[in-house]
Amino acid sequence: QVQLVESGGGLVQPGGSLRLSCTASGLPLRNHPVNWYRQAPGKEREAVVNMGYTDDSTTYADFVKGRFTFSRDNAKNAMYLQMDSLKSEDTAVYFCNVNVFTTKWNNYWGQGTQVTVSS
């Protein structure tokens, strides 16, 4: 059974930093495309960063380029989102996501972690 567990969210002032973690069980993250998404109140879920099958295929949304950094630790079967220079508009629930292809694409989601940027 695939399980993703996020952690690291919280309340931070504008300009501050947070590091989100996503730990997986039931599958090796290194073998699959992985993503971070976010959903702000009243808005649709949007992609923050996508990584394909290789590390050099990482794509960041324009609104986080230069501020957020994705990384993956294969030994810990975990992935991370380092968020710097946070803005109030980054306030959202952040979700990690894994795409697994068998005979079709299957999506697995974590439960989400709340990030609130406020003074």
Side-chain angles (χ1 to χ4, degrees):
Q1 181 179 358
V2 177
Q3 188 174 16
L4 303 174
V5 179
E6 297 105 335
S7 61
L11 173 64
V12 64
Q13 292 186 344
S17 298
L18 282 174
R19 185 185 189 225
L20 306 184
S21 300
C22 174
T23 303
S25 59
L27 85 170
L29 289 177
R30 66 180 182 273
N31 291 348
H32 307 283
V34 293
N35 315 282
W36 283 97
Y37 284 78
R38 71 184 187 185
Q39 188 166 19
K43 295 187 177 182
E44 294 188 353
R45 193 170 297 188
E46 61 184 357
V48 175
V49 57
N50 308 114
M51 174 183 283
Y53 286 101
T54 58
D55 290 1
D56 59 1
S57 63
T58 304
T59 303
Y60 293 90
D62 286 343
F63 52 78
V64 302
K65 280 182 180 177
R67 300 189 299 123
F68 290 11
T69 305
F70 175 90
S71 62
R72 184 163 53 183
D73 186 332
N74 293 334
K76 295 182 178 180
N77 205 27
M79 59 184 188
Y80 308 95
L81 185 65
Q82 176 67 40
M83 306 186 296
D84 298 317
S85 302
L86 282 162
K87 306 175 181 179
S88 58
E89 51 262 45
D90 294 318
T91 295
V93 179
Y94 284 72
F95 300 88
C96 58
N97 165 265
V98 179
N99 310 132
V100 178
F101 185 81
T102 53
T103 58
K104 62 176 183 177
W105 283 106
N106 295 284
N107 270 313
Y108 297 94
W109 295 90
Q111 82 286 357
T113 185
Q114 176 70 48
V115 171
T116 302
V117 184
S118 175
S119 56

